[in-house]
Amino acid sequence: MRKTKIAGTGSYIPDKVLTNADLEKMVDTSDEWISTRTGIKERRIADKNEAASDLAYKASKMAIEAAKIEPQDLDMIIVATITPDMIFPATACILQERLGMDKVASFDLEAACSGFLYGLSIGSQFIATRTYNTILVVAAETLSKIIDYEDRNTCIIFADGAGAAILRPSDDNSGIISSYLGADGEGANLVGVPAGGSRLPTSLETVKNRQHYMKMRGNELFKKAVKIMVRAVDVSLEKGGLTYEDVDFFIPHQANIRIIKAVAKRIGLGMDKVWVNLDQCGNMSAASCAVSLDQAVRQHKIKKGDKVVLTSFGGGLTWASLVIEW
Ligand code: COA
C-alpha cells in the first residue's frame, strides 16, 4: 500500500463581506450576541451569479499550481458539497469541463461539514491501492443560497467558500497517517433542507413554507459536537499509534468558537496550535476544513514534519478525523 500526501492546496472565498452589523439590520440579533455565542464577526457571501463550481474552479486552479501539475495530470475529481450547482449533474463534472481535463472519473460527495475529510480519505484509498496517482479533492459551498435570511438561528452562522487539495503518492515519510470516518443517522433530523428532494419535492407550498431553506436545531447539535469531535480525534490518533502529545497543529471544523475551545481543552492543546478562521469566514460546511488547511499552509503555520490533525462533524450526523504528517 502506498502512502498519500497532499501535494498542493488552494482556496477561494468570495469578495462580498456580510458583517454582524449588516445582520443586525436584517434579523433580531446583535454583534454582541453573535460574537460571544459563536465567535463569528463576518462571513463571505457569493455573488448571485456565483455557483459552487465557480468557487471550486478558483480553489482548484490554485491547488493545481501549488502541486506543480497540469489539469491533464488528474486521474479523478471528488467535489464535497451540500450546495451543488444543481441536483444533477454532479458539480464535479461541471468542474472537470471547466478545468479542461481528460475524461476522468468525477463525482460529488455529500457528507455535509465532514465532506472534505471524507473526500481526502476516499481519494487516498485509490492512491494507496495504486489505482490512481493524482486526485483533486475540492470542497465548495454556497450556503448563502440555502439560508433563510429571516431565520436568526442559521443566517448568522453559515457562509460561502471553497478549498482544494491535490493527493499524490508520497515520496518520503510525509502523508496521511490515519483516517477515521463515522456517521449517526439518528441525528439526521438536526440539520438539513426539508424540501427539494424526493421526500418533499419542491412545490409552491414548500416555497411558501420556506422549506427550501436550511433548518437547524443548533443547541442539540452543540451538545453533541464536542463529544463527537474529541472521540474522532482519539480514534484517528489511536489508529496512527499517536497520542495528544504528538499533535503539532489542529484544524477543527469551524462551527463555533466555544466548540473549538472545548475540544482543544479536552485534548490538551493551547489555542496557539489551533486554527481558527470562523471570525472572518463563518461556517462554510465542507469548505471550512479545506479553506483552513490552505490558509494555514500559506501562512506557514504548518511546517515539514508536523503532525497535523483535521477533525470535523456535521449534518447527517457525520464526522471525520485525519492525521497527516506534513
Ligand atoms: N441573536 C440573538 N438571539 C438569538 C439568536 C441570534 N442570532 N439565535 C438564537 N437566539 C436566542 C434564542 O432564541 C434563545 O432565546 P430564549 O432563551 O429567549 O429562548 C437564546 O438566544 C439561546 O438560544 P440557543 O439556541 O440555546 O443558543 P446557543 O447558545 O445554543 O447558540 C448556536 C446557538 C446555533 C450558535 C449554537 O447552538 C451552535 O453553534 N450550535 C452548533 C451548530 C453547528 O455546529 N452547526 C453545524 C453543524 S452543520
Side-chain angles (χ1 to χ4, degrees):
M1 298 284 256
R2 291 190 298 189
K3 205 165 174 181
T4 306
K5 72 168 182 182
I6 292 177
T9 61
S11 64
Y12 170 74
I13 49 174
D15 294 333
K16 187 180 165 195
V17 178
L18 182 69
T19 65
N20 290 352
D22 296 329
L23 285 162
E24 280 178 356
K25 293 181 206 128
M26 295 158 71
V27 288
D28 179 15
T29 192
S30 65
D31 172 42
E32 205 267 330
W33 193 96
I34 303 171
S35 305
T36 52
R37 295 284 183 125
T38 70
I40 301 168
K41 286 276 178 200
E42 59 185 45
R43 67 285 295 136
R44 298 299 180 99
I45 302 298
D47 187 72
K48 85 173 170 353
N49 301 317
E50 241 177 346
S53 66
D54 300 318
L55 275 58
Y57 175 75
K58 290 179 177 160
S60 301
K61 288 286 273 186
M62 260 174 91
I64 288 167
E65 200 182 308
K68 299 188 176 60
I69 60 165
E70 296 297 328
Q72 292 73 20
D73 297 324
L74 290 166
D75 300 316
M76 174 181 264
I77 300 182
I78 303 174
V79 173
T81 186
I82 54 169
T83 48
D85 284 22
M86 51 196 98
I87 287 186
F88 83 96
T91 300
C93 294
I94 296 165
L95 178 63
Q96 183 215 65
E97 208 272 325
R98 191 91 190 263
L99 286 168
M101 293 169 48
D102 292 342
K103 311 301 175 203
V104 302
S106 305
F107 63 94
D108 287 3
L109 184 164
E110 203 270 78
C113 306
S114 308
F116 182 61
L117 302 188
Y118 262 63
L120 293 180
S121 181
I122 292 166
S124 71
Q125 313 302 317
F126 287 101
I127 293 187
T129 54
R130 297 172 189 273
T131 311
Y132 295 127
N133 285 322
T134 312
I135 297 177
L136 169 62
V137 181
V138 201
E141 298 289 15
T142 48
L143 294 161
S144 62
K145 315 270 180 170
I146 57 163
I147 288 300
D148 183 350
Y149 283 96
E150 292 182 12
D151 176 9
R152 69 178 184 175
N153 288 309
T154 51
C155 73
I156 57 149
I157 294 172
F158 293 99
D160 303 335
I166 306 291
L167 298 178
R168 296 269 300 147
S170 178
D171 38 19
D172 53 27
N173 216 27
S174 68
I176 298 174
I177 296 173
S178 63
S179 69
Y180 165 58
L181 311 179
D184 175 7
E186 238 183 69
N189 57 351
L190 294 181
V191 55
V193 177
S198 58
R199 180 64 64 199
L200 195 57
T202 309
S203 65
L204 285 176
E205 187 77 5
T206 63
V207 173
K208 197 174 97 222
N209 294 335
R210 308 180 88 79
Q211 289 166 301
H212 56 300
Y213 289 129
M214 185 198 295
K215 310 283 176 225
M216 181 175 78
R217 283 151 61 183
N219 195 266
E220 287 166 72
L221 277 170
F222 189 94
K223 286 181 191 144
K224 290 180 184 286
V226 177
K227 218 158 126 190
I228 288 176
M229 288 182 79
V230 172
R231 187 171 135 68
V233 172
D234 286 353
V235 177
S236 61
L237 285 174
E238 199 183 305
K239 284 176 90 171
L242 301 168
T243 66
Y244 295 155
E245 284 74 48
D246 297 310
V247 179
D248 296 300
F249 201 68
F250 181 46
I251 299 181
H253 176 50
Q254 308 284 311
N256 187 309
I257 192 67
R258 293 184 288 144
I259 296 174
I260 295 174
K261 283 185 174 165
V263 174
K265 195 169 169 203
R266 289 271 293 279
I267 65 174
L269 270 190
M271 286 303 288
D272 55 320
K273 289 185 173 179
V274 180
W275 182 260
V276 176
N277 67 5
L278 95 165
D279 51 334
Q280 305 287 313
C281 295
N283 180 343
M284 300 176 283
S285 189
S288 269
C289 275
V291 170
S292 295
L293 178 64
D294 179 57
Q295 291 176 338
V297 167
R298 285 174 195 272
Q299 291 175 33
H300 307 290
K301 297 282 178 192
I302 302 173
K303 304 179 296 297
K304 179 93 189 132
D306 276 356
K307 301 217 172 43
V308 182
V309 177
L310 294 110
T311 306
S312 64
F313 83 97
L317 301 174
T318 58
W319 56 85
S321 186
L322 258 71
V323 184
I324 302 175
E325 178 163 340
W326 206 255

